[in-house]
Amino acid sequence: MTVSLILLAAYVIDRIVGDPRRLPHPVIGMGKAIHAVEQLIRRFFTRPQSLRVAGILLPLIVVGGAWLLTAVLLWLLSLVSPWLVWLAEAWLISTTIASKGLKDAGMAVYIELHKGDLPAARRALGMIVGRDTTTLSSPEIVRGTVETVAENIVDAIISPLFYALLGGAPLAMAYRAVNTLDSMVGYKNEKYRDLGWASARLDDVANLIPARIAALLLALCACLLQLDWRRSLRTVRRDAHRHPSPNSGYPESAVAGALGIRLGGENVYHGVASFRAYMGEPLRPLEPEDIIRTSRLMLLCSSIFVCLCAVVAWFWIGG
């Protein structure tokens, strides 16, 4: 029962508490560690070829360090009491999940759109996306929000729970290190093309299975919420591979198909326009309520998956 209860407790903690600002968050520590290791590497590796080699070293140090520190912490707590280990595992795993934060971020945009305050909605969206939001129309704000919530169903919920099931808090924390690395150095620009390539590839590999699981679960959730699950699956088969990411297209296309909307199109990053392949069909215009529908899909999908993980832990791992 222990693993099952830890997973369920971690998810409940995240749904209720989220990420309190007053408590230290492991991801902040990971970000500081990544920055420190990057600076150290750049002191000793300056040429492009050597940076590509160091690109392998960076995730080995950061991801391996996250796993090791978590495992050592749990081992030390086990010397005191198994109860401390279980409580620590539940809390640590909860910090790798962001269902409440994802819902809150989407609703912050929806509230401003509902009030008709476009500048405030743009600012709220700008807090969670990298694209330029200063001139976006209401439908484009909705698109950006829906895309972000849909994409992060994998990164912020399914993948952390998947790795927590396989390896407890140490592996869940290692995954969060992978994801944080990708968000910080996994860019194909001049600065990170050589140093960040391995981090970006590792993130792609880590999310490969969870992204496909998410697409199937989203179709199931579409059925349960009386949305079009058949169109959701068709859209995944047709459009998921068009996304520049090998994984993000799966949840985005599943949501687009379920809602009967089209995602993708032109985004602007630091003044440079970039076109992202379309996902879904524009059967109707985008509207603010699509943010609520996407949040419902996300929350139901995450609830079903954590229950599945608990069942698997009970029968396969033996509790």
Side-chain angles (χ1 to χ4, degrees):
M1 260 175 42
T2 306
V3 178
S4 300
L5 291 177
I6 287 173
L7 291 173
L8 291 170
Y11 181 70
V12 170
I13 291 170
D14 175 67
R15 284 290 294 268
I16 295 174
V17 179
D19 297 323
R21 295 182 182 273
R22 296 181 180 179
L23 294 178
H25 199 285
V27 172
I28 297 176
M30 289 177 188
K32 293 179 179 178
I34 291 168
H35 180 71
V37 174
E38 178 190 348
Q39 296 304 309
L40 184 63
I41 286 175
R42 290 189 184 277
R43 286 185 185 178
F44 296 96
F45 301 89
T46 56
R47 297 181 179 180
Q49 290 110 337
S50 62
L51 274 177
R52 285 191 67 81
V53 175
I56 300 174
L57 187 62
L58 180 59
L60 283 176
I61 294 172
V62 174
V63 178
W67 184 91
L68 183 61
L69 285 174
T70 307
V72 169
L73 173 62
L74 294 177
W75 175 73
L76 291 173
L77 291 175
S78 72
L79 300 178
V80 181
S81 168
W83 285 98
L84 286 178
V85 178
W86 299 335
L87 290 172
E89 279 225 74
W91 179 76
L92 287 170
I93 292 170
S94 76
T95 65
T96 68
I97 309 167
S99 60
K100 183 178 185 299
L102 198 54
K103 175 180 178 292
D104 291 347
M107 290 307 297
V109 180
Y110 171 80
I111 289 170
E112 302 301 339
L113 285 175
H114 188 68
K115 292 191 299 186
D117 192 342
L118 280 184
R122 291 166 184 151
R123 288 192 296 271
L125 177 60
M127 298 293 291
I128 57 174
V129 299
R131 72 190 69 174
D132 183 1
T133 64
T134 55
T135 61
L136 295 184
S137 63
S138 178
E140 284 298 294
I141 293 172
V142 172
R143 176 170 74 87
T145 308
V146 170
E147 288 173 351
T148 300
V149 173
E151 178 181 358
N152 281 283
I153 290 171
V154 176
D155 295 352
I157 303 169
I158 303 299
S159 287
L161 287 170
F162 178 78
Y163 288 105
L165 171 65
L166 295 181
L171 196 57
M173 205 60 68
Y175 167 76
R176 180 51 61 207
V178 170
N179 194 243
T180 306
L181 267 171
D182 181 60
S183 67
M184 291 183 66
V185 305
Y187 297 101
K188 296 180 180 179
N189 55 26
E190 185 176 350
K191 182 178 181 180
Y192 290 116
R193 182 172 54 247
D194 297 313
L195 182 62
W197 71 272
S199 297
R201 295 293 182 277
L202 184 58
D203 185 74
D204 289 342
V205 172
N207 288 314
L208 197 68
I209 295 175
R212 277 92 185 144
I213 293 174
L216 293 174
L217 286 179
L218 284 167
L220 171 62
C221 294
C223 179
L224 295 175
L225 294 174
Q226 298 184 332
L227 300 171
D228 197 326
W229 65 272
R230 292 184 180 86
R231 187 172 60 225
S232 179
L233 289 175
R234 287 198 306 269
T235 306
V236 170
R237 287 196 298 267
R238 187 190 65 206
D239 296 341
H241 69 279
R242 298 177 180 175
H243 199 284
S245 163
N247 300 312
S248 298
Y250 283 84
E252 286 189 28
S253 58
V255 169
L259 299 184
I261 59 175
R262 187 173 71 180
L263 302 177
E266 187 174 279
N267 300 324
V268 178
Y269 300 92
H270 306 292
V272 180
S274 174
F275 182 81
R276 181 173 292 181
Y278 290 126
M279 303 273 146
E281 303 168 7
L283 301 180
R284 59 175 179 80
L286 285 157
E287 57 187 15
E289 284 69 24
D290 287 319
I291 298 174
I292 295 179
R293 296 180 186 112
T294 304
S295 293
R296 287 173 180 164
L297 282 168
M298 178 269 293
L299 292 175
L300 182 57
C301 178
S302 60
S303 298
I304 291 174
F305 186 66
V306 73
C307 290
L308 288 175
C309 287
V311 171
V312 170
W314 183 286
F315 289 102
W316 177 45
I317 301 175

PDB file of all heavy atoms in Angstrom, residues 259-276:
ATOM      1  N   LEU A 259     -11.910  19.674 -28.532  1.00  0.00           N
ATOM      2  CA  LEU A 259     -12.658  20.933 -28.438  1.00  0.00           C
ATOM      3  C   LEU A 259     -13.166  21.427 -29.795  1.00  0.00           C
ATOM      4  O   LEU A 259     -13.984  22.351 -29.845  1.00  0.00           O
ATOM      5  CB  LEU A 259     -11.789  22.017 -27.801  1.00  0.00           C
ATOM      6  CG  LEU A 259     -11.300  21.762 -26.374  1.00  0.00           C
ATOM      7  CD1 LEU A 259     -10.539  22.981 -25.854  1.00  0.00           C
ATOM      8  CD2 LEU A 259     -12.451  21.417 -25.449  1.00  0.00           C
ATOM      9  N   GLY A 260     -12.669  20.855 -30.884  1.00  0.00           N
ATOM     10  CA  GLY A 260     -13.086  21.328 -32.200  1.00  0.00           C
ATOM     11  C   GLY A 260     -12.491  22.676 -32.551  1.00  0.00           C
ATOM     12  O   GLY A 260     -13.152  23.505 -33.201  1.00  0.00           O
ATOM     13  N   ILE A 261     -11.259  22.932 -32.118  1.00  0.00           N
ATOM     14  CA  ILE A 261     -10.584  24.205 -32.388  1.00  0.00           C
ATOM     15  C   ILE A 261      -9.262  23.945 -33.103  1.00  0.00           C
ATOM     16  O   ILE A 261      -8.814  22.806 -33.199  1.00  0.00           O
ATOM     17  CB  ILE A 261     -10.315  24.992 -31.090  1.00  0.00           C
ATOM     18  CG1 ILE A 261      -9.451  24.159 -30.136  1.00  0.00           C
ATOM     19  CG2 ILE A 261     -11.628  25.383 -30.433  1.00  0.00           C
ATOM     20  CD1 ILE A 261      -9.036  24.889 -28.872  1.00  0.00           C
ATOM     21  N   ARG A 262      -8.665  25.017 -33.596  1.00  0.00           N
ATOM     22  CA  ARG A 262      -7.358  24.894 -34.241  1.00  0.00           C
ATOM     23  C   ARG A 262      -6.313  25.628 -33.405  1.00  0.00           C
ATOM     24  O   ARG A 262      -6.467  26.804 -33.089  1.00  0.00           O
ATOM     25  CB  ARG A 262      -7.379  25.467 -35.666  1.00  0.00           C
ATOM     26  CG  ARG A 262      -6.073  25.206 -36.419  1.00  0.00           C
ATOM     27  CD  ARG A 262      -6.165  25.634 -37.869  1.00  0.00           C
ATOM     28  NE  ARG A 262      -6.186  27.097 -37.995  1.00  0.00           N
ATOM     29  CZ  ARG A 262      -6.262  27.749 -39.162  1.00  0.00           C
ATOM     30  NH1 ARG A 262      -6.372  27.043 -40.290  1.00  0.00           N
ATOM     31  NH2 ARG A 262      -6.275  29.067 -39.200  1.00  0.00           N
ATOM     32  N   LEU A 263      -5.255  24.920 -33.057  1.00  0.00           N
ATOM     33  CA  LEU A 263      -4.113  25.502 -32.366  1.00  0.00           C
ATOM     34  C   LEU A 263      -2.968  25.650 -33.355  1.00  0.00           C
ATOM     35  O   LEU A 263      -3.044  25.200 -34.491  1.00  0.00           O
ATOM     36  CB  LEU A 263      -3.696  24.615 -31.189  1.00  0.00           C
ATOM     37  CG  LEU A 263      -4.775  24.352 -30.127  1.00  0.00           C
ATOM     38  CD1 LEU A 263      -4.260  23.397 -29.056  1.00  0.00           C
ATOM     39  CD2 LEU A 263      -5.250  25.654 -29.496  1.00  0.00           C
ATOM     40  N   GLY A 264      -1.890  26.285 -32.924  1.00  0.00           N
ATOM     41  CA  GLY A 264      -0.768  26.537 -33.828  1.00  0.00           C
ATOM     42  C   GLY A 264      -0.957  27.835 -34.589  1.00  0.00           C
ATOM     43  O   GLY A 264      -1.958  28.545 -34.443  1.00  0.00           O
ATOM     44  N   GLY A 265       0.015  28.170 -35.407  1.00  0.00           N
ATOM     45  CA  GLY A 265      -0.011  29.411 -36.162  1.00  0.00           C
ATOM     46  C   GLY A 265       1.232  30.230 -35.889  1.00  0.00           C
ATOM     47  O   GLY A 265       2.255  29.702 -35.437  1.00  0.00           O
ATOM     48  N   GLU A 266       1.139  31.510 -36.129  1.00  0.00           N
ATOM     49  CA  GLU A 266       2.324  32.373 -36.002  1.00  0.00           C
ATOM     50  C   GLU A 266       2.486  32.882 -34.574  1.00  0.00           C
ATOM     51  O   GLU A 266       1.555  33.402 -33.971  1.00  0.00           O
ATOM     52  CB  GLU A 266       2.219  33.561 -36.960  1.00  0.00           C
ATOM     53  CG  GLU A 266       3.490  34.410 -36.994  1.00  0.00           C
ATOM     54  CD  GLU A 266       3.435  35.505 -38.044  1.00  0.00           C
ATOM     55  OE1 GLU A 266       3.697  35.199 -39.226  1.00  0.00           O
ATOM     56  OE2 GLU A 266       3.123  36.649 -37.666  1.00  0.00           O
ATOM     57  N   ASN A 267       3.710  32.725 -34.060  1.00  0.00           N
ATOM     58  CA  ASN A 267       4.098  33.294 -32.770  1.00  0.00           C
ATOM     59  C   ASN A 267       5.303  34.196 -32.997  1.00  0.00           C
ATOM     60  O   ASN A 267       6.072  33.986 -33.943  1.00  0.00           O
ATOM     61  CB  ASN A 267       4.467  32.194 -31.767  1.00  0.00           C
ATOM     62  CG  ASN A 267       3.322  31.236 -31.512  1.00  0.00           C
ATOM     63  OD1 ASN A 267       2.164  31.637 -31.477  1.00  0.00           O
ATOM     64  ND2 ASN A 267       3.638  29.969 -31.341  1.00  0.00           N
ATOM     65  N   VAL A 268       5.486  35.173 -32.126  1.00  0.00           N
ATOM     66  CA  VAL A 268       6.617  36.085 -32.227  1.00  0.00           C
ATOM     67  C   VAL A 268       7.482  35.937 -30.981  1.00  0.00           C
ATOM     68  O   VAL A 268       6.985  36.038 -29.848  1.00  0.00           O
ATOM     69  CB  VAL A 268       6.155  37.544 -32.374  1.00  0.00           C
ATOM     70  CG1 VAL A 268       7.362  38.486 -32.421  1.00  0.00           C
ATOM     71  CG2 VAL A 268       5.307  37.705 -33.634  1.00  0.00           C
ATOM     72  N   TYR A 269       8.762  35.664 -31.185  1.00  0.00           N
ATOM     73  CA  TYR A 269       9.715  35.522 -30.099  1.00  0.00           C
ATOM     74  C   TYR A 269      10.821  36.548 -30.262  1.00  0.00           C
ATOM     75  O   TYR A 269      11.588  36.491 -31.230  1.00  0.00           O
ATOM     76  CB  TYR A 269      10.316  34.113 -30.075  1.00  0.00           C
ATOM     77  CG  TYR A 269       9.302  33.012 -29.880  1.00  0.00           C
ATOM     78  CD1 TYR A 269       8.713  32.383 -30.985  1.00  0.00           C
ATOM     79  CD2 TYR A 269       8.926  32.600 -28.604  1.00  0.00           C
ATOM     80  CE1 TYR A 269       7.779  31.370 -30.812  1.00  0.00           C
ATOM     81  CE2 TYR A 269       7.995  31.589 -28.427  1.00  0.00           C
ATOM     82  CZ  TYR A 269       7.426  30.979 -29.528  1.00  0.00           C
ATOM     83  OH  TYR A 269       6.496  29.977 -29.360  1.00  0.00           O
ATOM     84  N   HIS A 270      10.882  37.507 -29.314  1.00  0.00           N
ATOM     85  CA  HIS A 270      11.911  38.558 -29.344  1.00  0.00           C
ATOM     86  C   HIS A 270      11.947  39.276 -30.697  1.00  0.00           C
ATOM     87  O   HIS A 270      13.012  39.533 -31.259  1.00  0.00           O
ATOM     88  CB  HIS A 270      13.280  37.965 -29.027  1.00  0.00           C
ATOM     89  CG  HIS A 270      13.314  37.188 -27.739  1.00  0.00           C
ATOM     90  ND1 HIS A 270      13.171  37.779 -26.507  1.00  0.00           N
ATOM     91  CD2 HIS A 270      13.461  35.846 -27.518  1.00  0.00           C
ATOM     92  CE1 HIS A 270      13.240  36.840 -25.566  1.00  0.00           C
ATOM     93  NE2 HIS A 270      13.404  35.668 -26.158  1.00  0.00           N
ATOM     94  N   GLY A 271      10.757  39.550 -31.231  1.00  0.00           N
ATOM     95  CA  GLY A 271      10.654  40.295 -32.466  1.00  0.00           C
ATOM     96  C   GLY A 271      10.762  39.463 -33.732  1.00  0.00           C
ATOM     97  O   GLY A 271      10.625  39.994 -34.839  1.00  0.00           O
ATOM     98  N   VAL A 272      10.977  38.159 -33.598  1.00  0.00           N
ATOM     99  CA  VAL A 272      11.127  37.280 -34.760  1.00  0.00           C
ATOM    100  C   VAL A 272       9.903  36.371 -34.859  1.00  0.00           C
ATOM    101  O   VAL A 272       9.572  35.652 -33.907  1.00  0.00           O
ATOM    102  CB  VAL A 272      12.405  36.425 -34.661  1.00  0.00           C
ATOM    103  CG1 VAL A 272      12.534  35.512 -35.871  1.00  0.00           C
ATOM    104  CG2 VAL A 272      13.637  37.312 -34.523  1.00  0.00           C
ATOM    105  N   ALA A 273       9.225  36.414 -36.006  1.00  0.00           N
ATOM    106  CA  ALA A 273       8.031  35.591 -36.210  1.00  0.00           C
ATOM    107  C   ALA A 273       8.411  34.145 -36.486  1.00  0.00           C
ATOM    108  O   ALA A 273       9.388  33.860 -37.175  1.00  0.00           O
ATOM    109  CB  ALA A 273       7.205  36.143 -37.367  1.00  0.00           C
ATOM    110  N   SER A 274       7.645  33.241 -35.930  1.00  0.00           N
ATOM    111  CA  SER A 274       7.880  31.812 -36.123  1.00  0.00           C
ATOM    112  C   SER A 274       6.536  31.125 -36.311  1.00  0.00           C
ATOM    113  O   SER A 274       5.604  31.352 -35.532  1.00  0.00           O
ATOM    114  CB  SER A 274       8.617  31.230 -34.909  1.00  0.00           C
ATOM    115  OG  SER A 274       8.737  29.826 -35.005  1.00  0.00           O
ATOM    116  N   PHE A 275       6.423  30.311 -37.345  1.00  0.00           N
ATOM    117  CA  PHE A 275       5.162  29.625 -37.623  1.00  0.00           C
ATOM    118  C   PHE A 275       5.203  28.216 -37.064  1.00  0.00           C
ATOM    119  O   PHE A 275       6.137  27.450 -37.333  1.00  0.00           O
ATOM    120  CB  PHE A 275       4.873  29.566 -39.119  1.00  0.00           C
ATOM    121  CG  PHE A 275       3.559  28.913 -39.452  1.00  0.00           C
ATOM    122  CD1 PHE A 275       2.365  29.611 -39.367  1.00  0.00           C
ATOM    123  CD2 PHE A 275       3.517  27.572 -39.833  1.00  0.00           C
ATOM    124  CE1 PHE A 275       1.158  29.003 -39.656  1.00  0.00           C
ATOM    125  CE2 PHE A 275       2.313  26.960 -40.133  1.00  0.00           C
ATOM    126  CZ  PHE A 275       1.129  27.681 -40.050  1.00  0.00           C
ATOM    127  N   ARG A 276       4.189  27.863 -36.291  1.00  0.00           N
ATOM    128  CA  ARG A 276       4.049  26.514 -35.757  1.00  0.00           C
ATOM    129  C   ARG A 276       2.895  25.824 -36.462  1.00  0.00           C
ATOM    130  O   ARG A 276       1.826  26.412 -36.640  1.00  0.00           O
ATOM    131  CB  ARG A 276       3.801  26.567 -34.249  1.00  0.00           C
ATOM    132  CG  ARG A 276       3.658  25.202 -33.604  1.00  0.00           C
ATOM    133  CD  ARG A 276       3.589  25.311 -32.091  1.00  0.00           C
ATOM    134  NE  ARG A 276       4.854  25.749 -31.524  1.00  0.00           N
ATOM    135  CZ  ARG A 276       5.060  25.902 -30.216  1.00  0.00           C
ATOM    136  NH1 ARG A 276       4.070  25.663 -29.376  1.00  0.00           N
ATOM    137  NH2 ARG A 276       6.230  26.302 -29.779  1.00  0.00           N
TER     138      ARG A 276
END
